[in-house]
Structure formats: C-alpha cells, structure tokens
Amino acid sequence: MTPADLARLVRLPEPRTCVCGGAIGWSHTAYAGHGESVGVYTCRHCGLAYRGPLRARRDPGRGRRHLPAAAEAPGGPPENPVLDAATAERLRALLQDG
C-alpha cells in the first residue's frame, strides 16, 4: 500500500463501527512517507479498510536496545550432543579433502 493509497482511505470513525454495522479492528501499520506511519483498520464483517491517526516518526534517541555480547561459557563451548567423536572426525577429514 503506497502513501497515496493510504491517503484515499476513509478516516477511522468514532465509534468504531463500519457503515455495514460491523465492528472495526486493527489490521496493520503502514508506512505513510517522511518517517511517519498510519494504523490501518478493517471491518470484521465486510473488510472495508479505514485509516487511523498519523503517527510521527520515532524519537531517534529511542532506537533499538543494544544488548551486550554474550560471554563465552566457562570451560569453552558445550559439547555437541548430536555428533559423536568418530562422526566429527570423518566430517573434518571430508572438509579438509574438499
């Protein structure tokens, strides 16, 4: 859905009842251009789409949370319970030959 398509949608009515009498519920968020987004709502009965209020771009200071890198487990990585020692050795040999 392009920003022009969003602009053509009918505004979300209050109360949230469609012209057909069906209940209106949130569908998804669409990009409206210039860093803004719009909630798109649809009728649960007939499927008619409505445009919610325009949401301004997020505060640049409130970006995604950066988590610290995971520390290596004491004693190194865990053993691989799927491969036994003989299978692992055969795989190493195949990879070295190729």
Side-chain angles (χ1 to χ4, degrees), residues 9-97:
L9 290 179
V10 178
R11 284 194 150 176
L12 184 64
E14 285 297 333
R16 291 186 179 179
T17 305
C18 183
V19 293
C20 74
I24 297 173
W26 183 83
S27 174
H28 63 280
T29 300
Y31 180 68
H34 304 290
E36 297 174 325
S37 62
V38 172
V40 177
Y41 297 79
T42 57
C43 174
R44 302 287 185 220
H45 181 68
C46 70
L48 184 64
Y50 293 91
R51 174 177 35 106
L54 189 66
R55 297 184 203 138
R57 82 176 60 195
R58 288 177 47 173
D59 179 12
R62 293 186 51 213
R64 292 184 185 261
R65 232 177 14 156
H66 294 285
L67 300 175
E72 191 170 316
E79 293 284 326
N80 186 342
V82 177
L83 298 177
D84 58 22
T87 306
E89 190 55 42
R90 283 188 303 188
L91 283 172
R92 279 191 209 100
L94 285 172
L95 290 173
Q96 288 175 354
D97 291 341

